[in-house]
Amino acid sequence: MFLTLTPHSLIIIPPKPKTIINWSFSIHDCLWDIAVRNWLPRSPTNIQSIHFTVCSVKRFGTSSRREKLILCHSRVLGADVAFGIHNGVFIPTIKELGIEAQIAKWVPLAQDLQIIGTYAQTELGHGTYLRGLETTVTFDPSNQEFVINMPRLSSIKWWPGDLGRSATHALVLAQLYTQGKCQGMHAFIVQIRSLVDHSSLPGVTVGDIGPKMNFDQVDNGFLILQNVHIPRENMLCRYSEVSPDGTYVKRGSDRINYFSMVLTRTRLLSAEIIPALAKACVIAIRYSVVRRQSKLKPGEMETKILDYQMQQQKLFPQLATVFAFHFMASSFEAFCNQVKVQIKSKGDFSSLPELHALSAGLKALLSDVCSAGVETCRRACGGHGYSLLSGLPSLYTRVAGSCTYEGENTVMQLQTARFLMNCLSKVYSGQPLPQSVSYLSDLFSTRCCGTEKTDFIKPPVYTKAYKHRAQRSGHLMFSLCFFCCQAHCQYTIVNNFVETMSRLQHEPEIQQVLQVLCDLYALSGILANAEEFLHDGYMTGHQLDLVTASQRDLLTCVRKDAVSLVDAFDYSDQQLHSAIGSYDGHAYQRLFEWAQKAPMNAKVPFALFLALSSCC
Amino acid sequence: MFLTLTPHSLIIIPPKPKTIINWSFSIHDCLWDIAVRNWLPRSPTNIQSIHFTVCSVKRFGTSSRREKLILCHSRVLGADVAFGIHNGVFIPTIKELGIEAQIAKWVPLAQDLQIIGTYAQTELGHGTYLRGLETTVTFDPSNQEFVINMPRLSSIKWWPGDLGRSATHALVLAQLYTQGKCQGMHAFIVQIRSLVDHSSLPGVTVGDIGPKMNFDQVDNGFLILQNVHIPRENMLCRYSEVSPDGTYVKRGSDRINYFSMVLTRTRLLSAEIIPALAKACVIAIRYSVVRRQSKLKPGEMETKILDYQMQQQKLFPQLATVFAFHFMASSFEAFCNQVKVQIKSKGDFSSLPELHALSAGLKALLSDVCSAGVETCRRACGGHGYSLLSGLPSLYTRVAGSCTYEGENTVMQLQTARFLMNCLSKVYSGQPLPQSVSYLSDLFSTRCCGTEKTDFIKPPVYTKAYKHRAQRSGHLMFSLCFFCCQAHCQYTIVNNFVETMSRLQHEPEIQQVLQVLCDLYALSGILANAEEFLHDGYMTGHQLDLVTASQRDLLTCVRKDAVSLVDAFDYSDQQLHSAIGSYDGHAYQRLFEWAQKAPMNAKVPFALFLALSSCC
């Protein structure tokens, strides 16, 4: 159970980021201190040296202490995604698309970091539209080899992580040509750098794509392959193969690929997207009880900014969102596991479309909302929120990337909408629907029944409102697919939050606190999308005013638990890396201390500027 | 006239950023190339060396060519705000708050860069709430000096631009104490660094506040003053003075200060905020005709992404917004000039509250909308929009700052709301209203009269809708001041756009193109705030559907002129500094060329990683 109640506060233990290695805390602290002291150790060159060293350490052997130190350092620098593609995509894809012999050959090498792999799919000219990828792999039966080429500038592989400086091998996704015919996209293992001196192999041009909005520590790279030959065995061939004479053989279904994509997106929700908003809430809420502004009465102390309704209105809906999304991600993970069992034990793929659609919609909604939420938290911290020392700008620039990677959000929404459209045509033809969309065939309620403001914190009232909106958006979908995806996902999330609360009956203290957040999430969402509830007269303007009044009452309720709630996320000061959001509340001291460590504050000798003055 | 029609396209010349110096284009090009080639010359240390050199060059004399080169370099690096505080705040404030003798003493020194000034107001613990500032200046009649102190950590001056490395003098805003009594905040000139070796003077601790989300080239700093003595003449004393015996004398009104603040905010709109969105539109729209995705028909080329309605829906309302805001800023500037004449010639301050309120509301609305708009443009460019080479991330991280500086947006909105509240009480008591809010006393129309989708592109129809919403929000304001500020400003902007169009009757080609943008701005705004038009039944759901349909028709109209419209902003490739948004459309070539120049791609010698491997 992830909820426990301690004498001090409600402790909610979030899924911790996976610990790469178990180092002692003193080492961690020491290196973190180095990171702060040296300011810009995250420069690409430094980070890549570290990557490269980890790689060499593994390849040439080393003491475990040194290895720990290096990994620890890279982790401290935010490099918890170091080799993320190698570990999270390269190895799993070989396991998924390779046959036993391929897995036996490559996976141990990769796991031992004897080789470092990347996943080279996206090209300069194509991302989401996979059929448009231009890299070609042509089978030559005369010497049993594939020949890889990139016909145009736009075919250059662009963006793969771990590629710029680290990777020795690439899983290249390319159009397969054999016997003069294109067979579509397949995956090939291509060695790109020497295992002896790390130089790029003949025909290979590889490098870094330059600076990004964040992810300095990931060496996203480019890759040009010109007339590169690889043996026939390097095509991952669980689902299709080219036989020695060049005959293309398809075997089985590759639908399981979709399931891998779903799993990757699910991990993204709880490993990247939700924690970003959670951390931003911790920082902004803690800072808002340290920061004071304006005296309400002369002689009194100035008021903590968290006591202003405007500030609560900015922050508390974000806090409620963290919980709503956390519960949703947990339920979704359970659904994934259930489908996994269906697939593995019975070869039953029937739930895959539903799972895929929900994963796409949730990824799009959660990344959009969490990005906007992090930025709201950042701005709520005023000027200090603009300082990198607050930790907030980098939370934003990082989570903002998740709106684009692992499926661009607009495309994701269209995919979910397409699934919903399919479901609706089933409704019209009287076929049964998957569970998560079964509400589409339920009867429409045409009017919201709330008449007093307390009616609107009744879960059945607001759940029904969300259901009505999702039904209505679904039926309008042919013109408004964006809205229908969002309405469907938000209904699912509210419904899931309400159900989660009902399972907490045996823990009334926790239930009471979380129920307020559940109500706040639901009502804030109604207000943020009010036009969709008003549009067909389901709610009246007067009812919306009642929702507004109720939502304000909830803000007051959250105020007293707000700090305990964010403390309970249990992020260490090291994980937050924020001068204004640490547990002890010493925001100003820490800003001042950290600022003094800026390299700008090292004394510039007078000689330097004389030198500069005389240099031209 | 800022609109001219050429045979090739509509040329709209925006206000150009002020050119510091008139250097030849060849030098500019050459240095810009250096900037690209060297990647990170914007590191704080480099930039500060440049600042410092400019300062020393001025102080010790130099050839004009070297000076040009240095200034040019700093400009190329985005440092068009170098010495922004010195030039834009320090000098003007002395002129505004100083008496003739003070102006004669300090301004020539400052203009000649013999001294470099900063404006030290904000403290670690206080920004917007000026009465809370803690720095004290106590007059000591025994030696005719002021003694400056900062009693607490939270009193440290924090954020002033040009302070970290450059400033030799600070205008310190502090609580004045004389004869045992606090007289409130006043401005004092304090020398903080030696003019000989730039070292900090006794009692002065000064440094940089560390990295920020952007503005690397501005050395925002901190300043601690401990028992620092300055002569009595260093208090700027046009409006109040401390006489030799310590008597505090107030003379005249300092209301003119408000006018300075208004002017600063006005400059911000056209120098920083609107250009950010304009540039983002140029980059995103140009890239969207280069980027292709998905074949609509087999055998055809893939479709330009700008031909998708979803992409148009993201970008074209932003383009319309640039025009709406540009016209608004122009009108507002004219209003400022008119008030300036009233004040200077007749001492008539009666329009100042209206001007101040409108400037606050416009600053808040425009910075919010332009920040969100830049980010929308960035995300509309998919993965490449996440690369710093696109130019888009830094446009966002920079304009996002404007939501906080020169008046935090929430506080700005509250100020405008307070003014509107005042006006309303005048309505209730039958007093006349200032021109820009006179609509508040007009009759309410209760129903929107549009019945067909073409009705909604009639300016009187949508202007009336905005007016109704602003009136209604005004009357609800006691509970909803945020909404009333936004409703008031948006009505003003739509009204102003419509009026500007009516003045273009003699230029029908231009009028025709811009009218579409005017309609698009108005309808997109109705859709984005639909609940406020639906809430009291002013519009029905059906009417809103007509607005939706009309808005989509407009997108199609804008499509054919979109590229010409952004070309007509006439930003040079150098000003955009974007690999994907240049005039020639060679997005992929430039991404590839620029990426190759990344320092990461310099060969890391094998020796380095051996050295790293053996270092612990």
Side-chain angles (χ1 to χ4, degrees), chain A residues 261-285:
Chain A
M261 240 154 56
V262 168
L263 287 185
T264 306
R265 270 183 217 136
T266 315
R267 267 196 301 270
L268 196 61
L269 300 184
S270 44
E272 285 278 331
I273 296 174
I274 304 172
L277 185 56
K279 288 178 184 174
C281 284
V282 179
I283 297 170
I285 288 176

Short mmCIF file of all heavy atoms in Angstrom, two decimals, chain A residues 261-285:
data_model
loop_
_atom_site.label_atom_id
_atom_site.label_comp_id
_atom_site.label_asym_id
_atom_site.label_seq_id
_atom_site.Cartn_x
_atom_site.Cartn_y
_atom_site.Cartn_z
N MET A 261 5.22 -0.18 -27.21
CA MET A 261 5.05 1.27 -27.24
C MET A 261 4.19 1.75 -26.07
O MET A 261 4.47 2.76 -25.45
CB MET A 261 4.37 1.66 -28.54
CG MET A 261 5.20 2.59 -29.37
SD MET A 261 4.77 2.44 -31.12
CE MET A 261 3.03 2.75 -31.13
N VAL A 262 3.14 0.97 -25.80
CA VAL A 262 2.25 1.30 -24.69
C VAL A 262 3.02 1.27 -23.37
O VAL A 262 2.90 2.18 -22.55
CB VAL A 262 1.05 0.32 -24.63
CG1 VAL A 262 0.29 0.47 -23.33
CG2 VAL A 262 0.14 0.52 -25.83
N LEU A 263 3.85 0.24 -23.21
CA LEU A 263 4.62 0.13 -21.96
C LEU A 263 5.58 1.31 -21.81
O LEU A 263 5.72 1.86 -20.71
CB LEU A 263 5.40 -1.18 -21.93
CG LEU A 263 4.57 -2.45 -21.70
CD1 LEU A 263 5.49 -3.66 -21.59
CD2 LEU A 263 3.70 -2.32 -20.45
N THR A 264 6.23 1.70 -22.89
CA THR A 264 7.17 2.83 -22.84
C THR A 264 6.43 4.09 -22.40
O THR A 264 6.90 4.84 -21.54
CB THR A 264 7.80 3.07 -24.22
OG1 THR A 264 8.37 1.83 -24.65
CG2 THR A 264 8.86 4.13 -24.17
N ARG A 265 5.26 4.31 -22.98
CA ARG A 265 4.49 5.50 -22.61
C ARG A 265 4.02 5.47 -21.16
O ARG A 265 3.98 6.48 -20.48
CB ARG A 265 3.26 5.62 -23.51
CG ARG A 265 3.54 6.42 -24.73
CD ARG A 265 2.29 6.58 -25.56
NE ARG A 265 2.65 6.51 -26.96
CZ ARG A 265 2.00 5.84 -27.88
NH1 ARG A 265 0.91 5.16 -27.57
NH2 ARG A 265 2.42 5.85 -29.11
N THR A 266 3.66 4.28 -20.71
CA THR A 266 3.21 4.14 -19.32
C THR A 266 4.33 4.49 -18.35
O THR A 266 4.13 5.21 -17.38
CB THR A 266 2.74 2.70 -19.06
OG1 THR A 266 1.93 2.30 -20.14
CG2 THR A 266 1.97 2.60 -17.77
N ARG A 267 5.54 3.96 -18.67
CA ARG A 267 6.69 4.28 -17.83
C ARG A 267 6.92 5.79 -17.80
O ARG A 267 7.24 6.36 -16.76
CB ARG A 267 7.94 3.59 -18.39
CG ARG A 267 8.21 2.22 -17.79
CD ARG A 267 9.65 1.78 -18.10
NE ARG A 267 9.92 1.72 -19.53
CZ ARG A 267 9.73 0.63 -20.27
NH1 ARG A 267 9.25 -0.48 -19.73
NH2 ARG A 267 10.01 0.65 -21.56
N LEU A 268 6.75 6.42 -18.95
CA LEU A 268 6.96 7.86 -19.08
C LEU A 268 6.07 8.65 -18.11
O LEU A 268 6.50 9.61 -17.48
CB LEU A 268 6.63 8.26 -20.52
CG LEU A 268 7.11 9.59 -21.03
CD1 LEU A 268 8.62 9.64 -20.99
CD2 LEU A 268 6.62 9.79 -22.47
N LEU A 269 4.82 8.22 -17.98
CA LEU A 269 3.88 8.92 -17.10
C LEU A 269 4.41 8.98 -15.68
O LEU A 269 4.49 10.04 -15.07
CB LEU A 269 2.50 8.25 -17.10
CG LEU A 269 1.76 8.15 -18.43
CD1 LEU A 269 0.38 7.54 -18.21
CD2 LEU A 269 1.62 9.51 -19.09
N SER A 270 4.79 7.81 -15.15
CA SER A 270 5.16 7.80 -13.73
C SER A 270 6.64 8.08 -13.49
O SER A 270 7.03 8.38 -12.36
CB SER A 270 4.73 6.49 -13.07
OG SER A 270 5.05 5.41 -13.90
N ALA A 271 7.46 8.01 -14.54
CA ALA A 271 8.89 8.26 -14.32
C ALA A 271 9.28 9.68 -14.65
O ALA A 271 10.25 10.21 -14.11
CB ALA A 271 9.72 7.29 -15.17
N GLU A 272 8.55 10.33 -15.54
CA GLU A 272 8.96 11.66 -15.99
C GLU A 272 7.89 12.72 -15.78
O GLU A 272 8.13 13.77 -15.21
CB GLU A 272 9.30 11.62 -17.50
CG GLU A 272 10.62 10.96 -17.84
CD GLU A 272 11.80 11.92 -17.66
OE1 GLU A 272 11.62 13.13 -17.81
OE2 GLU A 272 12.89 11.43 -17.35
N ILE A 273 6.71 12.42 -16.30
CA ILE A 273 5.71 13.48 -16.45
C ILE A 273 5.08 13.88 -15.11
O ILE A 273 5.09 15.05 -14.73
CB ILE A 273 4.64 13.05 -17.48
CG1 ILE A 273 5.29 12.88 -18.86
CG2 ILE A 273 3.50 14.04 -17.53
CD1 ILE A 273 4.38 12.32 -19.93
N ILE A 274 4.54 12.90 -14.37
CA ILE A 274 3.88 13.23 -13.10
C ILE A 274 4.89 13.74 -12.07
O ILE A 274 4.62 14.74 -11.39
CB ILE A 274 3.06 12.04 -12.58
CG1 ILE A 274 2.05 11.59 -13.65
CG2 ILE A 274 2.33 12.40 -11.29
CD1 ILE A 274 1.30 10.30 -13.32
N PRO A 275 6.08 13.12 -11.94
CA PRO A 275 7.05 13.64 -10.97
C PRO A 275 7.43 15.10 -11.23
O PRO A 275 7.72 15.83 -10.28
CB PRO A 275 8.26 12.72 -11.14
CG PRO A 275 7.70 11.44 -11.66
CD PRO A 275 6.54 11.84 -12.54
N ALA A 276 7.44 15.52 -12.48
CA ALA A 276 7.79 16.92 -12.76
C ALA A 276 6.79 17.85 -12.08
O ALA A 276 7.18 18.82 -11.41
CB ALA A 276 7.82 17.17 -14.27
N LEU A 277 5.51 17.55 -12.22
CA LEU A 277 4.51 18.41 -11.60
C LEU A 277 4.55 18.26 -10.07
O LEU A 277 4.40 19.24 -9.34
CB LEU A 277 3.10 18.09 -12.13
CG LEU A 277 1.99 19.01 -11.62
CD1 LEU A 277 2.29 20.48 -11.91
CD2 LEU A 277 0.64 18.63 -12.23
N ALA A 278 4.78 17.05 -9.60
CA ALA A 278 4.86 16.84 -8.15
C ALA A 278 5.98 17.68 -7.54
O ALA A 278 5.79 18.38 -6.55
CB ALA A 278 5.07 15.36 -7.84
N LYS A 279 7.16 17.63 -8.18
CA LYS A 279 8.29 18.41 -7.65
C LYS A 279 8.01 19.92 -7.71
O LYS A 279 8.34 20.65 -6.78
CB LYS A 279 9.56 18.11 -8.46
CG LYS A 279 10.14 16.73 -8.19
CD LYS A 279 11.36 16.49 -9.07
CE LYS A 279 11.88 15.07 -8.88
NZ LYS A 279 12.98 14.78 -9.83
N ALA A 280 7.41 20.36 -8.80
CA ALA A 280 7.08 21.78 -8.92
C ALA A 280 6.12 22.20 -7.81
O ALA A 280 6.25 23.29 -7.24
CB ALA A 280 6.49 22.09 -10.29
N CYS A 281 5.16 21.33 -7.47
CA CYS A 281 4.23 21.64 -6.38
C CYS A 281 4.97 21.73 -5.05
O CYS A 281 4.70 22.62 -4.24
CB CYS A 281 3.16 20.54 -6.27
SG CYS A 281 1.90 20.65 -7.54
N VAL A 282 5.89 20.80 -4.81
CA VAL A 282 6.65 20.83 -3.55
C VAL A 282 7.37 22.17 -3.43
O VAL A 282 7.25 22.88 -2.42
CB VAL A 282 7.69 19.69 -3.49
CG1 VAL A 282 8.47 19.76 -2.19
CG2 VAL A 282 7.02 18.32 -3.64
N ILE A 283 8.10 22.53 -4.49
CA ILE A 283 8.90 23.75 -4.44
C ILE A 283 8.00 24.99 -4.25
O ILE A 283 8.22 25.82 -3.38
CB ILE A 283 9.75 23.89 -5.73
CG1 ILE A 283 10.74 22.73 -5.83
CG2 ILE A 283 10.47 25.23 -5.77
CD1 ILE A 283 11.46 22.62 -7.17
N ALA A 284 6.95 25.08 -5.08
CA ALA A 284 6.14 26.30 -5.06
C ALA A 284 5.34 26.43 -3.77
O ALA A 284 5.19 27.53 -3.23
CB ALA A 284 5.20 26.31 -6.27
N ILE A 285 4.84 25.31 -3.26
CA ILE A 285 4.03 25.40 -2.03
C ILE A 285 4.92 25.70 -0.82
O ILE A 285 4.58 26.52 0.02
CB ILE A 285 3.18 24.12 -1.86
CG1 ILE A 285 2.05 24.15 -2.90
CG2 ILE A 285 2.62 24.00 -0.43
CD1 ILE A 285 1.17 22.92 -2.93
#
